[in-house]
Amino acid sequence: MMRSLIAALVLTTPLVAQQAPPADSGTPGSPRWHVGLAAEFGQPTGDFKQNVDNAGGAQAHLRVRLDQHGLVSLRVQAGWLNYGNESKRLCLAATPGCRVEVNVNTVNGILFVGVGPEFAYQLGKLRAYGHCLVGASRFATVSAIGGGILPDLVAGDENFGDNGFAWSAGGGLQLPITRRVALDLGVAYQGHGAREYLTKGGITDNANGSLTFAPKRSTANLLAIRFGVTTSLPWRNRRSKS
């Protein structure tokens, strides 16, 4: 599936580029600040693939142009990938006969934050880029009342977590659709090293109210594809008048 998505990206790029208007990036005086938001789909690799299925989530980034033409930038990126969740009905309190039942959703996810250089090359109307990021990630299992694939940070509690150094390297293409907005299609490899993490069924509720964990431990790397948009922020650099 991952190979098919990459092939589709390569084959459709020229068709979209022929219909797209010129973009701001890659020209002198272009906006310095850009932000982006994307849906992200991850495929575990190596030992991680033996314990976890595909993941899905969201990613956001801020890019600051460092040179006149936007060939070198500083990229700051953060993302959340959900690699599994489960729900079960539990008593809200230890009341006789369990008068009040609630749905408790448990989410397994990866939070990644990184910063690093981004290098770009203008291919006509297209902007091809590559980046290398270093930062940190946290593998966390959170339980909360309610449902959904995102953890409830207000009415939830983290059951298990493991954090450490992480890195990411990848690239992509930006396909302009207006002078300010471009489609952003990319792929990246995320390296998290050896981690402990929970999977579905990894928490046991004991009769005395305590919890028992059954964590997995392995290298936890993955390949991620993103589909999103980027836009320049409204201000531009203005040369001071002499």
PDB file of all heavy atoms in Angstrom, residues 20-46:
ATOM      1  N   ALA A  20      -1.269  24.392 -12.269  1.00  0.00           N
ATOM      2  CA  ALA A  20      -1.135  25.232 -11.096  1.00  0.00           C
ATOM      3  C   ALA A  20      -0.554  26.593 -11.451  1.00  0.00           C
ATOM      4  O   ALA A  20       0.321  26.702 -12.291  1.00  0.00           O
ATOM      5  CB  ALA A  20      -0.231  24.541 -10.072  1.00  0.00           C
ATOM      6  N   PRO A  21      -0.988  27.666 -10.777  1.00  0.00           N
ATOM      7  CA  PRO A  21      -0.411  28.981 -10.995  1.00  0.00           C
ATOM      8  C   PRO A  21       0.933  29.096 -10.298  1.00  0.00           C
ATOM      9  O   PRO A  21       1.260  28.281  -9.449  1.00  0.00           O
ATOM     10  CB  PRO A  21      -1.450  29.915 -10.332  1.00  0.00           C
ATOM     11  CG  PRO A  21      -2.095  29.072  -9.291  1.00  0.00           C
ATOM     12  CD  PRO A  21      -2.138  27.678  -9.847  1.00  0.00           C
ATOM     13  N   PRO A  22       1.742  30.102 -10.642  1.00  0.00           N
ATOM     14  CA  PRO A  22       3.039  30.260 -10.008  1.00  0.00           C
ATOM     15  C   PRO A  22       2.903  30.440  -8.509  1.00  0.00           C
ATOM     16  O   PRO A  22       1.956  31.045  -8.023  1.00  0.00           O
ATOM     17  CB  PRO A  22       3.616  31.525 -10.672  1.00  0.00           C
ATOM     18  CG  PRO A  22       2.869  31.638 -11.957  1.00  0.00           C
ATOM     19  CD  PRO A  22       1.506  31.088 -11.690  1.00  0.00           C
ATOM     20  N   ALA A  23       3.874  29.925  -7.765  1.00  0.00           N
ATOM     21  CA  ALA A  23       3.875  30.058  -6.312  1.00  0.00           C
ATOM     22  C   ALA A  23       4.837  31.147  -5.895  1.00  0.00           C
ATOM     23  O   ALA A  23       5.709  31.557  -6.641  1.00  0.00           O
ATOM     24  CB  ALA A  23       4.280  28.731  -5.664  1.00  0.00           C
ATOM     25  N   ASP A  24       4.699  31.602  -4.634  1.00  0.00           N
ATOM     26  CA  ASP A  24       5.574  32.636  -4.118  1.00  0.00           C
ATOM     27  C   ASP A  24       6.985  32.143  -3.865  1.00  0.00           C
ATOM     28  O   ASP A  24       7.945  32.887  -3.993  1.00  0.00           O
ATOM     29  CB  ASP A  24       5.002  33.178  -2.794  1.00  0.00           C
ATOM     30  CG  ASP A  24       4.142  34.408  -3.038  1.00  0.00           C
ATOM     31  OD1 ASP A  24       4.255  35.000  -4.102  1.00  0.00           O
ATOM     32  OD2 ASP A  24       3.359  34.749  -2.138  1.00  0.00           O
ATOM     33  N   SER A  25       7.123  30.866  -3.435  1.00  0.00           N
ATOM     34  CA  SER A  25       8.425  30.372  -3.008  1.00  0.00           C
ATOM     35  C   SER A  25       9.394  30.318  -4.180  1.00  0.00           C
ATOM     36  O   SER A  25       9.023  30.091  -5.315  1.00  0.00           O
ATOM     37  CB  SER A  25       8.278  28.980  -2.379  1.00  0.00           C
ATOM     38  OG  SER A  25       7.729  28.088  -3.307  1.00  0.00           O
ATOM     39  N   GLY A  26      10.660  30.506  -3.861  1.00  0.00           N
ATOM     40  CA  GLY A  26      11.706  30.392  -4.853  1.00  0.00           C
ATOM     41  C   GLY A  26      11.997  31.674  -5.610  1.00  0.00           C
ATOM     42  O   GLY A  26      12.810  31.677  -6.522  1.00  0.00           O
ATOM     43  N   THR A  27      11.363  32.794  -5.259  1.00  0.00           N
ATOM     44  CA  THR A  27      11.628  34.064  -5.917  1.00  0.00           C
ATOM     45  C   THR A  27      12.101  35.078  -4.895  1.00  0.00           C
ATOM     46  O   THR A  27      11.683  35.033  -3.725  1.00  0.00           O
ATOM     47  CB  THR A  27      10.359  34.603  -6.602  1.00  0.00           C
ATOM     48  OG1 THR A  27       9.335  34.762  -5.621  1.00  0.00           O
ATOM     49  CG2 THR A  27       9.881  33.653  -7.679  1.00  0.00           C
ATOM     50  N   PRO A  28      12.976  36.002  -5.284  1.00  0.00           N
ATOM     51  CA  PRO A  28      13.465  37.000  -4.337  1.00  0.00           C
ATOM     52  C   PRO A  28      12.317  37.780  -3.714  1.00  0.00           C
ATOM     53  O   PRO A  28      11.371  38.175  -4.391  1.00  0.00           O
ATOM     54  CB  PRO A  28      14.363  37.885  -5.207  1.00  0.00           C
ATOM     55  CG  PRO A  28      14.754  37.020  -6.365  1.00  0.00           C
ATOM     56  CD  PRO A  28      13.575  36.138  -6.614  1.00  0.00           C
ATOM     57  N   GLY A  29      12.408  38.022  -2.397  1.00  0.00           N
ATOM     58  CA  GLY A  29      11.386  38.783  -1.708  1.00  0.00           C
ATOM     59  C   GLY A  29      10.146  37.989  -1.372  1.00  0.00           C
ATOM     60  O   GLY A  29       9.144  38.559  -0.956  1.00  0.00           O
ATOM     61  N   SER A  30      10.153  36.681  -1.563  1.00  0.00           N
ATOM     62  CA  SER A  30       9.001  35.861  -1.230  1.00  0.00           C
ATOM     63  C   SER A  30       8.819  35.809   0.279  1.00  0.00           C
ATOM     64  O   SER A  30       9.738  36.097   1.039  1.00  0.00           O
ATOM     65  CB  SER A  30       9.184  34.447  -1.802  1.00  0.00           C
ATOM     66  OG  SER A  30      10.296  33.828  -1.199  1.00  0.00           O
ATOM     67  N   PRO A  31       7.624  35.451   0.763  1.00  0.00           N
ATOM     68  CA  PRO A  31       7.380  35.423   2.208  1.00  0.00           C
ATOM     69  C   PRO A  31       8.405  34.583   2.946  1.00  0.00           C
ATOM     70  O   PRO A  31       8.842  33.545   2.457  1.00  0.00           O
ATOM     71  CB  PRO A  31       5.978  34.819   2.312  1.00  0.00           C
ATOM     72  CG  PRO A  31       5.335  35.146   1.019  1.00  0.00           C
ATOM     73  CD  PRO A  31       6.425  35.083   0.000  1.00  0.00           C
ATOM     74  N   ARG A  32       8.772  35.037   4.107  1.00  0.00           N
ATOM     75  CA  ARG A  32       9.787  34.332   4.877  1.00  0.00           C
ATOM     76  C   ARG A  32       9.194  33.204   5.719  1.00  0.00           C
ATOM     77  O   ARG A  32       9.827  32.186   5.943  1.00  0.00           O
ATOM     78  CB  ARG A  32      10.525  35.325   5.785  1.00  0.00           C
ATOM     79  CG  ARG A  32      11.686  34.700   6.530  1.00  0.00           C
ATOM     80  CD  ARG A  32      12.422  35.704   7.392  1.00  0.00           C
ATOM     81  NE  ARG A  32      13.574  35.076   8.017  1.00  0.00           N
ATOM     82  CZ  ARG A  32      14.339  35.653   8.938  1.00  0.00           C
ATOM     83  NH1 ARG A  32      14.075  36.878   9.335  1.00  0.00           N
ATOM     84  NH2 ARG A  32      15.363  35.009   9.461  1.00  0.00           N
ATOM     85  N   TRP A  33       7.978  33.379   6.205  1.00  0.00           N
ATOM     86  CA  TRP A  33       7.358  32.425   7.127  1.00  0.00           C
ATOM     87  C   TRP A  33       6.277  31.620   6.416  1.00  0.00           C
ATOM     88  O   TRP A  33       5.448  32.185   5.701  1.00  0.00           O
ATOM     89  CB  TRP A  33       6.747  33.157   8.319  1.00  0.00           C
ATOM     90  CG  TRP A  33       7.746  33.940   9.117  1.00  0.00           C
ATOM     91  CD1 TRP A  33       8.232  35.194   8.827  1.00  0.00           C
ATOM     92  CD2 TRP A  33       8.373  33.541  10.331  1.00  0.00           C
ATOM     93  NE1 TRP A  33       9.130  35.593   9.778  1.00  0.00           N
ATOM     94  CE2 TRP A  33       9.234  34.602  10.729  1.00  0.00           C
ATOM     95  CE3 TRP A  33       8.293  32.407  11.124  1.00  0.00           C
ATOM     96  CZ2 TRP A  33      10.003  34.536  11.875  1.00  0.00           C
ATOM     97  CZ3 TRP A  33       9.065  32.343  12.279  1.00  0.00           C
ATOM     98  CH2 TRP A  33       9.906  33.400  12.645  1.00  0.00           C
ATOM     99  N   HIS A  34       6.287  30.310   6.629  1.00  0.00           N
ATOM    100  CA  HIS A  34       5.267  29.417   6.078  1.00  0.00           C
ATOM    101  C   HIS A  34       4.822  28.432   7.156  1.00  0.00           C
ATOM    102  O   HIS A  34       5.625  27.999   7.989  1.00  0.00           O
ATOM    103  CB  HIS A  34       5.802  28.635   4.875  1.00  0.00           C
ATOM    104  CG  HIS A  34       6.142  29.480   3.694  1.00  0.00           C
ATOM    105  ND1 HIS A  34       7.285  30.256   3.618  1.00  0.00           N
ATOM    106  CD2 HIS A  34       5.473  29.679   2.514  1.00  0.00           C
ATOM    107  CE1 HIS A  34       7.314  30.882   2.463  1.00  0.00           C
ATOM    108  NE2 HIS A  34       6.240  30.557   1.778  1.00  0.00           N
ATOM    109  N   VAL A  35       3.554  28.086   7.126  1.00  0.00           N
ATOM    110  CA  VAL A  35       3.024  27.077   8.040  1.00  0.00           C
ATOM    111  C   VAL A  35       2.297  26.014   7.229  1.00  0.00           C
ATOM    112  O   VAL A  35       1.821  26.275   6.118  1.00  0.00           O
ATOM    113  CB  VAL A  35       2.063  27.686   9.084  1.00  0.00           C
ATOM    114  CG1 VAL A  35       2.806  28.631  10.012  1.00  0.00           C
ATOM    115  CG2 VAL A  35       0.908  28.405   8.405  1.00  0.00           C
ATOM    116  N   GLY A  36       2.216  24.815   7.788  1.00  0.00           N
ATOM    117  CA  GLY A  36       1.553  23.723   7.094  1.00  0.00           C
ATOM    118  C   GLY A  36       0.831  22.798   8.051  1.00  0.00           C
ATOM    119  O   GLY A  36       1.192  22.688   9.231  1.00  0.00           O
ATOM    120  N   LEU A  37      -0.185  22.146   7.545  1.00  0.00           N
ATOM    121  CA  LEU A  37      -0.950  21.162   8.304  1.00  0.00           C
ATOM    122  C   LEU A  37      -1.239  19.989   7.386  1.00  0.00           C
ATOM    123  O   LEU A  37      -1.608  20.182   6.223  1.00  0.00           O
ATOM    124  CB  LEU A  37      -2.262  21.773   8.809  1.00  0.00           C
ATOM    125  CG  LEU A  37      -3.144  20.881   9.699  1.00  0.00           C
ATOM    126  CD1 LEU A  37      -2.420  20.560  11.001  1.00  0.00           C
ATOM    127  CD2 LEU A  37      -4.475  21.575   9.983  1.00  0.00           C
ATOM    128  N   ALA A  38      -1.063  18.775   7.899  1.00  0.00           N
ATOM    129  CA  ALA A  38      -1.211  17.597   7.040  1.00  0.00           C
ATOM    130  C   ALA A  38      -1.767  16.417   7.817  1.00  0.00           C
ATOM    131  O   ALA A  38      -1.577  16.291   9.027  1.00  0.00           O
ATOM    132  CB  ALA A  38       0.135  17.224   6.422  1.00  0.00           C
ATOM    133  N   ALA A  39      -2.473  15.561   7.078  1.00  0.00           N
ATOM    134  CA  ALA A  39      -2.823  14.239   7.598  1.00  0.00           C
ATOM    135  C   ALA A  39      -1.631  13.329   7.348  1.00  0.00           C
ATOM    136  O   ALA A  39      -0.970  13.415   6.311  1.00  0.00           O
ATOM    137  CB  ALA A  39      -4.059  13.697   6.894  1.00  0.00           C
ATOM    138  N   GLU A  40      -1.339  12.458   8.306  1.00  0.00           N
ATOM    139  CA  GLU A  40      -0.149  11.610   8.209  1.00  0.00           C
ATOM    140  C   GLU A  40      -0.538  10.147   8.403  1.00  0.00           C
ATOM    141  O   GLU A  40      -1.345   9.815   9.275  1.00  0.00           O
ATOM    142  CB  GLU A  40       0.879  12.039   9.256  1.00  0.00           C
ATOM    143  CG  GLU A  40       2.241  11.399   9.081  1.00  0.00           C
ATOM    144  CD  GLU A  40       3.270  11.979  10.026  1.00  0.00           C
ATOM    145  OE1 GLU A  40       2.902  12.307  11.180  1.00  0.00           O
ATOM    146  OE2 GLU A  40       4.440  12.108   9.644  1.00  0.00           O
ATOM    147  N   PHE A  41       0.055   9.288   7.584  1.00  0.00           N
ATOM    148  CA  PHE A  41      -0.214   7.856   7.652  1.00  0.00           C
ATOM    149  C   PHE A  41       1.118   7.129   7.798  1.00  0.00           C
ATOM    150  O   PHE A  41       2.023   7.303   6.971  1.00  0.00           O
ATOM    151  CB  PHE A  41      -0.952   7.390   6.402  1.00  0.00           C
ATOM    152  CG  PHE A  41      -2.216   8.156   6.137  1.00  0.00           C
ATOM    153  CD1 PHE A  41      -2.198   9.293   5.333  1.00  0.00           C
ATOM    154  CD2 PHE A  41      -3.413   7.769   6.711  1.00  0.00           C
ATOM    155  CE1 PHE A  41      -3.352  10.023   5.096  1.00  0.00           C
ATOM    156  CE2 PHE A  41      -4.571   8.487   6.483  1.00  0.00           C
ATOM    157  CZ  PHE A  41      -4.543   9.625   5.682  1.00  0.00           C
ATOM    158  N   GLY A  42       1.242   6.320   8.840  1.00  0.00           N
ATOM    159  CA  GLY A  42       2.507   5.665   9.132  1.00  0.00           C
ATOM    160  C   GLY A  42       2.445   4.158   8.976  1.00  0.00           C
ATOM    161  O   GLY A  42       1.436   3.528   9.312  1.00  0.00           O
ATOM    162  N   GLN A  43       3.545   3.589   8.457  1.00  0.00           N
ATOM    163  CA  GLN A  43       3.676   2.148   8.346  1.00  0.00           C
ATOM    164  C   GLN A  43       4.891   1.699   9.154  1.00  0.00           C
ATOM    165  O   GLN A  43       6.021   2.049   8.813  1.00  0.00           O
ATOM    166  CB  GLN A  43       3.839   1.717   6.892  1.00  0.00           C
ATOM    167  CG  GLN A  43       3.987   0.213   6.722  1.00  0.00           C
ATOM    168  CD  GLN A  43       4.072  -0.196   5.269  1.00  0.00           C
ATOM    169  OE1 GLN A  43       3.677   0.554   4.397  1.00  0.00           O
ATOM    170  NE2 GLN A  43       4.597  -1.377   5.010  1.00  0.00           N
ATOM    171  N   PRO A  44       4.692   0.957  10.242  1.00  0.00           N
ATOM    172  CA  PRO A  44       5.821   0.483  11.049  1.00  0.00           C
ATOM    173  C   PRO A  44       6.779  -0.366  10.229  1.00  0.00           C
ATOM    174  O   PRO A  44       6.383  -1.035   9.264  1.00  0.00           O
ATOM    175  CB  PRO A  44       5.138  -0.342  12.151  1.00  0.00           C
ATOM    176  CG  PRO A  44       3.746   0.197  12.224  1.00  0.00           C
ATOM    177  CD  PRO A  44       3.396   0.577  10.810  1.00  0.00           C
ATOM    178  N   THR A  45       8.044  -0.351  10.616  1.00  0.00           N
ATOM    179  CA  THR A  45       9.062  -1.152   9.952  1.00  0.00           C
ATOM    180  C   THR A  45       9.784  -2.037  10.971  1.00  0.00           C
ATOM    181  O   THR A  45       9.708  -1.803  12.176  1.00  0.00           O
ATOM    182  CB  THR A  45      10.095  -0.249   9.245  1.00  0.00           C
ATOM    183  OG1 THR A  45      10.785   0.528  10.244  1.00  0.00           O
ATOM    184  CG2 THR A  45       9.430   0.675   8.246  1.00  0.00           C
ATOM    185  N   GLY A  46      10.479  -3.044  10.477  1.00  0.00           N
ATOM    186  CA  GLY A  46      11.294  -3.899  11.336  1.00  0.00           C
ATOM    187  C   GLY A  46      10.503  -4.585  12.433  1.00  0.00           C
ATOM    188  O   GLY A  46       9.376  -5.055  12.222  1.00  0.00           O
TER     189      GLY A  46
END
